[in-house]
């Protein structure tokens, strides 16, 4: 209906989220169990959506941003089957406000008429950036009567800026500040300080299996004073906290 004028479509998928509502057509399609079936069905749905964009001749004039709002849920199991995705080398998962496995997600952008294909940007951005990006695309101005935490993505995407405007990003679990990262522009280093981390059950498991999800406060977290400090540019798995002995500066 709106192909002849600007439009905004927010398309939120229930897929790859428990209870994994895969339809019968996709059950058993994947080598990776029910979760994989969900991924394949989601892929098919996104393909249908992009197909309509192409069919209506909107491919080169439509900015598309595909992303997840959190990392995989490591506690989601049925027997030995992992139902909540996989976070690779990153520690932790969904519901953990500080660890990379809970907050680091890929963003995939398609805009063939404007952006080159196969470009990879390894700068820290945020889903908060969607709002100012859309406002700029629409020719508007973000509100000036309040602090807007997001930054438009267009300078990064179009190559007019080499670094994200986010020098600092604050990572909350609920209303509790768990971690903050500093993207040190003059060195390229990315430091992250953890003020509180969830207590894994069992210890070393990388998840809170006993509670089904990690708590944000109380007896389920450890407070760190001084904070745990990591150099994400050298240690993205957050395996080796720095100390005054190993990193005096």
């Amino acid at each position: 209906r709106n192909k002849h004028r600007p439009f905004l479509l927010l398309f939120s998928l229930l897929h790859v989220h428990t209870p994994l509502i895969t339809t019968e057509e996709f059950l058993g399609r994947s080598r990776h169990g029910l979760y994989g079936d969900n991924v394949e069905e989601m892929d098919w749905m996104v393909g249908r959506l992009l197909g309509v964009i192409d069919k209506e001749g909107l491919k080169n004039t439509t900015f598309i941003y595909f992303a997840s709002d959190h990392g995989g849920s490591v506690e989601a199991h049925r027997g030995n089957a992992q139902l909540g995705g996989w976070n690779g080398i990153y520690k932790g998962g969904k519901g953990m406000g500080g660890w990379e496995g809970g907050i680091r997600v890929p963003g995939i952008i398609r805009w063939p008429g404007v952006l080159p294909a196969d470009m990879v940007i390894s700068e820290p951005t945020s889903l908060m950036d969607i709002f100012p990006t859309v406002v700029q695309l629409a020719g508007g101005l973000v509100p000036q009567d309040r602090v807007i935490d997001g930054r438009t993505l267009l300078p990064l995407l179009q190559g007019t800026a080499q670094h994200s405007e986010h020098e600092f990003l604050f990572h909350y679990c609920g209303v509790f500040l768990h971690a903050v990262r500093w993207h040190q522009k003059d060195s390229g280093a990315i430091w992250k300080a953890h003020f509180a981390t969830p207590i894994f059950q069992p210890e070393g498991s990388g998840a809170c299996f006993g509670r089904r999800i990690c708590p944000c406060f109380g007896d389920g977290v450890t407070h760190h004073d001084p904070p745990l400090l990591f150099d994400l540019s050298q240690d993205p798995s957050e395996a080796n906290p720095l100390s005054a002995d190993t990193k005096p500066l």
Side-chain angles (χ1 to χ4, degrees), residues 142-223:
V142 296
Q144 301 298 304
D145 61 343
R146 72 205 70 183
V147 175
I148 302 297
D149 292 315
R151 297 289 185 267
T152 175
L153 295 169
L154 294 181
L156 266 183
L157 297 174
Q158 294 175 331
T160 58
Q162 300 304 310
H163 296 292
S164 166
E165 285 191 41
H166 291 290
E167 183 177 2
F168 296 94
L169 282 171
F170 295 85
H171 304 301
Y172 286 82
C173 184
V175 298
F176 300 93
L177 180 65
H178 273 210
V180 61
R181 79 177 61 212
W182 175 32
H183 187 213
Q184 191 177 354
K185 294 179 180 179
D186 56 351
S187 74
I190 302 175
W191 309 96
K192 189 159 78 168
H194 288 261
F195 304 105
T197 54
I199 298 172
F200 293 143
Q201 298 173 329
E203 186 178 348
S205 64
C208 300
F209 293 110
R211 297 175 182 254
R212 298 283 181 93
I213 190 168
C214 289
C216 296
F217 64 98
D219 61 359
V221 303
T222 299
H223 293 274

Side-chain angles (χ1 to χ4, degrees), residues 52-144:
V52 172
I53 296 288
D54 296 351
K55 178 184 174 185
E56 298 294 347
L58 300 171
K59 181 176 181 178
N60 289 343
T61 55
T62 303
F63 176 89
I64 296 171
Y65 186 15
F66 178 83
S68 175
D69 58 345
H70 55 68
S73 176
V74 287
E75 288 92 359
H77 281 79
R78 184 180 300 159
N80 293 323
Q82 166 69 292
L83 301 181
W86 182 64
N87 296 317
I89 66 170
Y90 304 114
K91 183 179 289 186
K94 175 190 175 182
M96 303 180 206
W99 295 120
E100 289 293 281
I103 56 180
R104 185 190 287 238
V105 296
I108 304 172
I109 291 170
R110 189 182 87 148
W111 196 5
V114 178
L115 304 177
D118 302 323
M119 179 172 63
V120 177
I121 297 174
S122 299
E123 289 287 302
T125 62
S126 166
L127 290 180
M128 295 186 296
D129 299 335
I130 294 175
F131 173 63
T133 302
V134 168
V135 169
Q136 183 177 355
L137 287 171
L141 294 172
V142 296
Q144 301 298 304

